[in-house]
Amino acid sequence: MSHYKMHLLVCAGTGCHASESDLVYEMLHDEVERKGLNDDVQVIRTGCFGFCEKGPIVKVLPDNTFYTQVKPDDAREIIDEHVIKGREVERLLYLDPETNEHVIDSKHMGFYKKQLRVALRNCGTIDPENIDESIARDAYMALGKVITEMTPQEAIDLIKRSGLRGRGGAGFPTGLKWEITSKNQSDRKFVVCNADEGDPGAFMDRSILEGDPHSVLEAMAICGYCIGASEGLIYIRAEYPLAIRRLKIAISQARSYGLLGDNILGSDFSFDIKLRYGAGAFVCGEETALINSMEGHRGEPTNKPPFPAEKGYLGKPTCVNNVETFANVPVIVLKGAEWFSSIGTEKSKGTKVFALAGKINNVGLIEVPMGITLREIIYEIGGGVKGGKKFKAVQTGGPSGGCLTEKHLDTPIDYESLMAAGSMMGSGGMIVLDEDDCMVSVAKFYLDFIVEESCGRCAPCRIGSKRLYETLDRITVGKGEQEDIEILKNLGSVIRDTALCGLGQTAPNPVISTLDNFMEEYVEHVHEKKCRSGQCRDLLYYVISEENCTGCMACTRVCPTHAISGERRQPHVINQEVCIKCGACMEKCQFDAISLMKDYPREVQLTTK
Amino acid sequence: MAVIKTLDDLKKRQEEMKSRVNLRDKAENPESLVQVKVAMATCGIASGAKEVMEFFVTELDKRSIDAVVTQTGCMGYCFAEPTVEITLPGKEPIVFGYVDAEKADEIIERYIKEGELVDGIIPQNYNTI
Ligand SMILES: Cc1cc2nc3c(=O)[nH]c(=O)nc-3n(C[C@H](O)[C@H](O)[C@H](O)COP(=O)(O)O)c2cc1C
Ligand code: SF4
Ligand code: SF4
Ligand code: SF4
Ligand code: FES
Ligand code: FES
């Protein structure tokens, strides 16, 4: 038996893959071989460590040394210095953004301290292309336990007691969904894994599938046993080639071990899984649209009821769950419902994976217990707002969600509290915004996405979202009126109440939540034609400083609209009504007298008119 | 690949595969295990640290002691090489000097197992001067 003294884990997730982690792996591997260290050192490709921004990541065990941004050329130094001589390669260590010191050990990185990895338990620890490593870390043990020791109802009760809720957005109790599907009698039933992940910026499901595919396969089989289904389908977007490849490998390895297929582990339970590919439309993540798409129809939602649990794929009872929801199941079976429900808040149990992004020092994939506060996430795990800027808001829930502000920083986050704050858990996107972000523009960004992604089936969403977008656009270019704010409010609530599917129903959320929390920014845009964060280009003004202007008249000659006036050797003035913001004057002025401002002195304007 | 036909087969397979990921499991919370650090800088290697490390790895495993054995760089005690730092769970690290196989055996039997102090401890106070 092998006794490796050292493991070198090389991240092979999509993020690191894109920055040549494959080559890093090859080089490390070759170097280990060249130095004759094969018996002592094992080099393994793993899934995502969650620290993709600083990838490729190489972690050295057992010392937990965490190397970031490793290049293929660094391989030799890592082997020579660290592996052979036991000295860390300092320049590759993670630099703490607060103290500006190198952190040797991932245990001491703020990023990992407050995390609790349940769904991501194996991501970054095992080789996802090797089923044996998964088995060594308990894969299929839960399935074995369920089919040999429990009745379907007992297993359903266990999931119900654990308090697990859907991680795909709505937070529906998973055990209950399984129970409902199990009670609907039919000759055929289906288990569907929703791996569409359409929320822009979200990549937690992809990372789970890439880093630990067996956890999802196993959970789907457990679900099949519980609801009485023998067929599973994974609906995955075609833009996830690496996840698809790993899934294919995992499915074929599980089949050859007999862990998928007929009579699993000698029981009379049979279950197999196939892949279905989506074209990547956001609306196809909605379960009825997803089912339509799998049947070869247009990926459009249909009215609920009937729910998929009753009439789903091919008209048969179908249980649709999200990737992360599934990834939690095997651990719950092995560690118990009580263990799981001891984590989290009263109504939201367990953990949630978030994709932390935006103006934050540690961008990445994190998994935290429910009930953690935004402050802990942003300042402890995230390492604070980038560049020491002032925090403004956090956007959660993607295009269906809203913004949380300063006053929510200490609210324990779970499904209910996010809802109460006017946002949503959603699939787990979490974007930090600072003083340089304009909240009207943020709302406009999401509405733009919705307009693109609306399937067009129902009018409130197709036409209403377009109107919302146009109104926001007017406001950001300085043409907004008070009336526009009223339009946003009224139209928003009409769309929310009348759209057919969740996409449309939640589309106004980014608008409503920014109106609620940042009304003053809307008012400024509309009445003062001012954008305090300087994001709206049309609300920036070229202004001549009275002090610096020598009155050389160079600018007046280049201005295409004759917006600049003034006597020779006297300070000049730009008429904002006429200026088209071409910037020519600023470029021409040799005395740095012209600058772009968020405000302009209105009195001066009035006197020149 | 052989088909796994029963839950017991699966458990057997897991046992066989455990050694592949053992080290990774342990690295998740090293504080709860015995930690052994062998100084393996230039002078350490020259004075036989590699053999000492080898010894700790195989013997601790044989004697069923859950431990993490790592190598470190220069500890600053070149005169006493090979040096080994042992940290028992919840205790302060202790450094032993002139460790060879015989000494290592004594360290495992008396210090790691029984918590008794053995000869050869290098007082650590002078590196705080
Ligand atoms: C517009 C829209 C997009 C959705 N996209 C996803 C998605 O990408 N992934 C997902 O798991 N659920 C998505 N959902 C939620 C699914 O409809 C469904 O509730 C979920 O897959 C159920 O699984 P869960 O109970 O495990 O969360 C979306 C819903 C809507 C309305
Ligand atoms: S709400 Fe939008 S996405 Fe949903 S059915 Fe209507 S048009 Fe299509
Ligand atoms: S070019 Fe500059 S200095 Fe000359 S008139 Fe214009 S603003 Fe004044
Ligand atoms: S920005 Fe262009 S239009 Fe405006 S004052 Fe300067 S040169 Fe004239
Ligand atoms: S892909 Fe490597 S850390 Fe995420
Ligand atoms: S090089 Fe070994 S203690 Fe200095």
Side-chain angles (χ1 to χ4, degrees):
Chain A
M1 217 183 283
S2 55
H3 280 290
Y4 294 113
K5 289 192 208 64
M6 216 176 230
H7 292 200
L8 301 181
L9 307 182
V10 184
C11 177
T14 289
C16 294
H17 192 77
S19 42
E20 298 197 305
S21 74
D22 255 25
L23 265 179
V24 173
Y25 169 82
E26 303 280 332
M27 298 288 277
L28 283 170
H29 198 268
D30 288 356
E31 204 54 29
V32 164
E33 221 150 76
R34 247 166 41 88
K35 299 264 156 61
L37 298 167
N38 308 35
D39 293 337
D40 293 335
V41 181
Q42 192 189 19
V43 189
I44 308 114
R45 268 185 286 218
T46 70
C48 175
F49 286 86
F51 218 64
C52 324
E53 223 207 13
K54 294 259 161 40
I57 304 295
V58 173
K59 189 168 166 182
V60 183
L61 297 183
D63 13 353
N64 282 316
T65 313
F66 198 83
Y67 290 128
T68 56
Q69 294 176 320
V70 180
K71 302 203 181 41
D73 288 345
D74 298 327
R76 177 169 302 183
E77 194 173 341
I78 292 179
I79 302 293
D80 282 351
E81 282 296 304
H82 191 146
V83 175
I84 296 181
K85 297 191 192 138
R87 290 196 285 243
E88 285 91 11
V89 182
E90 193 151 320
R91 65 185 174 85
L92 296 174
L93 293 171
Y94 166 71
L95 202 62
D96 189 306
E98 302 265 296
T99 61
N100 229 3
E101 278 171 18
H102 287 295
V103 183
I104 296 175
D105 172 342
S106 62
K107 291 257 155 204
H108 292 102
M109 286 167 64
F111 184 71
Y112 287 110
K113 269 190 210 160
K114 289 238 157 162
Q115 291 201 44
L116 178 62
R117 301 191 134 216
V118 178
L120 297 177
R121 62 195 174 281
N122 289 327
C123 286
T125 306
I126 57 160
D127 175 355
E129 299 188 10
N130 183 337
I131 189 173
D132 287 330
E133 294 212 342
S134 293
I135 289 177
R137 301 261 301 187
D138 293 335
Y140 299 101
M141 287 294 162
L143 176 64
K145 178 171 170 184
V146 167
I147 58 185
T148 56
E149 295 171 15
M150 299 169 100
T151 65
Q153 188 59 45
E154 280 167 358
I156 289 173
D157 287 339
L158 174 80
I159 301 299
K160 276 169 80 178
R161 260 189 294 125
S162 75
L164 176 64
R165 295 168 64 177
R167 301 293 193 243
F172 191 83
T174 306
L176 186 59
K177 190 187 278 188
W178 290 13
E179 186 164 53
I180 296 168
T181 323
S182 80
K183 297 223 161 101
N184 288 323
Q185 299 302 326
S186 172
D187 53 337
R188 269 175 104 186
K189 293 186 191 178
F190 295 95
V191 176
V192 171
C193 173
N194 187 344
D196 190 59
E197 197 162 52
D199 181 348
F203 58 103
M204 31 265 151
D205 294 347
R206 187 190 75 202
S207 295
I208 292 173
L209 294 171
E210 283 174 4
D212 189 14
H214 290 286
S215 68
V216 175
L217 303 184
E218 177 182 11
M220 288 177 71
I222 293 174
C223 176
Y225 178 77
C226 290
I227 68 167
S230 57
E231 291 167 86
L233 296 156
I234 300 176
Y235 184 84
I236 183 166
R237 47 177 51 217
E239 293 106 282
Y240 280 179
L242 194 60
I244 291 172
R245 201 185 69 163
R246 300 247 161 92
L247 273 174
K248 283 185 176 163
I249 294 173
I251 291 172
S252 90
Q253 290 181 347
R255 278 186 194 144
S256 66
Y257 271 16
L259 296 167
L260 284 178
D262 291 338
N263 302 97
I264 295 171
L265 297 177
S267 70
D268 46 20
F269 173 62
S270 304
F271 193 80
D272 206 358
I273 296 174
K274 293 199 182 89
L275 299 185
R276 287 280 186 280
Y277 306 108
F282 181 53
V283 73
C284 286
E286 196 282 331
E287 51 192 10
T288 60
L290 180 149
I291 289 169
N292 285 331
S293 162
M294 288 202 306
E295 290 170 343
H297 303 297
R298 285 185 58 159
E300 286 181 352
T302 38
N303 270 321
K304 290 192 274 194
F307 286 92
E310 196 185 322
K311 262 188 159 137
Y313 184 58
L314 306 179
K316 306 289 180 189
T318 302
C319 182
V320 184
N321 276 124
N322 165 262
V323 172
E324 188 187 333
T325 314
F326 277 128
N328 278 294
V329 168
V331 204
I332 296 175
V333 172
L334 290 180
K335 293 205 177 182
E338 290 63 35
W339 167 80
F340 190 78
S341 62
S342 71
I343 307 165
T345 63
E346 196 197 332
K347 289 189 175 148
S348 305
K349 302 301 187 187
T351 58
K352 178 77 193 87
V353 183
F354 289 101
L356 194 56
K359 309 287 178 53
I360 186 128
N361 277 314
N362 298 335
V363 167
L365 199 68
I366 61 167
E367 181 169 357
V368 288
M370 298 272 191
I372 195 171
T373 63
L374 277 178
R375 191 184 298 281
E376 289 169 281
I377 294 185
I378 296 168
Y379 293 97
E380 297 183 43
I381 298 173
V385 180
K386 221 175 209 160
K389 296 265 182 168
K390 199 171 162 332
F391 166 83
K392 189 187 263 185
V394 170
Q395 212 285 343
T396 67
S400 316
C403 289
L404 301 156
T405 62
E406 191 87 42
K407 66 175 190 275
H408 302 118
L409 277 180
D410 293 308
T411 314
I413 49 180
D414 64 10
Y415 290 100
E416 278 70 28
S417 68
L418 286 180
M419 211 58 126
S423 186
M424 240 176 84
M425 182 75 78
S427 55
M430 188 174 268
I431 300 169
V432 178
L433 307 170
D434 71 5
E435 53 190 311
D436 292 339
D437 288 300
C438 161
M439 300 314 288
V440 185
S441 306
V442 166
K444 188 172 110 173
F445 167 82
Y446 284 109
L447 260 296
D448 187 25
F449 178 83
I450 293 292
V451 170
E452 280 294 308
E453 295 289 336
S454 165
C455 79
R457 186 145 189 241
C458 67
C461 168
R462 184 182 66 237
I463 304 169
S465 315
K466 186 106 184 107
R467 293 286 164 275
L468 281 182
Y469 175 80
E470 288 164 358
T471 311
L472 289 167
D473 191 53
R474 267 205 302 283
I475 296 176
T476 56
V477 300
K479 303 217 171 87
E481 310 274 342
Q482 177 59 32
E483 190 189 66
D484 287 322
I485 297 183
E486 306 306 322
I487 293 181
L488 290 177
K489 280 191 195 156
N490 297 336
L491 188 57
S493 61
V494 171
I495 299 174
R496 182 154 64 179
D497 295 340
T498 54
L500 176 65
C501 84
L503 188 147
Q505 287 155 8
T506 57
N509 284 357
V511 182
I512 294 171
S513 120
T514 47
L515 278 171
D516 282 350
N517 292 306
F518 297 96
M519 182 54 99
E520 68 282 4
E521 290 198 26
Y522 279 88
V523 170
E524 273 171 13
H525 278 75
V526 169
H527 296 288
E528 295 172 44
K529 306 295 175 212
K530 169 180 168 182
C531 171
R532 60 169 78 184
S533 45
Q535 288 300 309
C536 299
R537 263 205 77 80
D538 290 296
L539 302 184
L540 286 177
Y541 304 95
Y542 288 88
V543 177
I544 298 175
S545 131
E546 218 171 308
E547 243 163 70
N548 294 359
C549 176
T550 63
C552 73
M553 301 190 80
C555 57
T556 48
R557 284 192 288 273
V558 294
C559 176
T561 59
H562 306 291
I564 308 176
S565 58
E567 300 296 317
R568 179 167 288 281
R569 286 195 257 290
Q570 292 298 315
H572 281 45
V573 175
I574 297 175
N575 181 347
Q576 300 297 341
E577 304 285 326
V578 183
C579 169
I580 55 164
K581 306 182 207 282
C582 70
C585 55
M586 187 155 112
E587 207 166 290
K588 197 74 192 175
C589 177
Q590 295 175 0
F591 305 95
D592 282 338
I594 306 181
S595 50
L596 254 182
M597 313 268 278
K598 294 175 202 167
D599 264 318
Y600 64 92
R602 278 154 204 279
E603 324 73 68
V604 178
Q605 278 297 296
L606 295 175
T607 55
T608 54
K609 259 196 194 166
Chain B
M1 279 187 270
V3 175
I4 297 173
K5 292 201 189 67
T6 64
L7 184 54
D8 283 337
D9 279 2
L10 181 62
K11 286 181 179 157
K12 239 178 267 156
R13 182 94 201 154
Q14 180 177 45
E15 274 314 307
E16 284 162 30
M17 292 304 145
K18 267 260 145 69
S19 69
R20 269 191 78 92
V21 295
N22 225 339
L23 192 78
R24 282 174 249 169
D25 291 344
K26 286 183 188 171
E28 278 174 13
N29 40 22
E31 301 80 16
S32 63
L33 306 168
V34 179
Q35 295 177 68
V36 180
K37 285 189 184 155
V38 184
M40 291 270 267
T42 328
C43 72
I45 294 174
S47 58
K50 201 163 160 29
E51 289 71 32
V52 173
M53 180 156 175
E54 202 68 56
F55 185 86
F56 274 109
V57 172
T58 41
E59 288 305 312
L60 286 169
D61 193 59
K62 251 191 230 160
R63 302 177 200 186
S64 308
I65 296 167
D66 264 342
V68 198
V69 184
T70 55
Q71 47 182 330
T72 69
C74 169
M75 287 195 200
Y77 312 115
C78 305
F79 62 90
E81 286 292 347
T83 51
V84 175
E85 180 190 288
I86 311 267
T87 316
L88 299 183
K91 296 224 170 117
E92 288 300 308
I94 288 187
V95 179
F96 296 90
Y98 305 109
V99 181
D100 53 13
E102 198 182 323
K103 189 87 209 163
D105 183 62
E106 191 186 348
I107 292 174
I108 295 178
E109 287 305 316
R110 296 189 41 209
Y111 182 61
I112 296 183
K113 281 196 183 165
E114 311 293 338
E116 284 172 39
L117 295 180
V118 286
D119 287 349
I121 295 175
I122 301 181
Q124 280 205 292
N125 45 10
Y126 62 82
N127 60 10
T128 55
I129 298 171

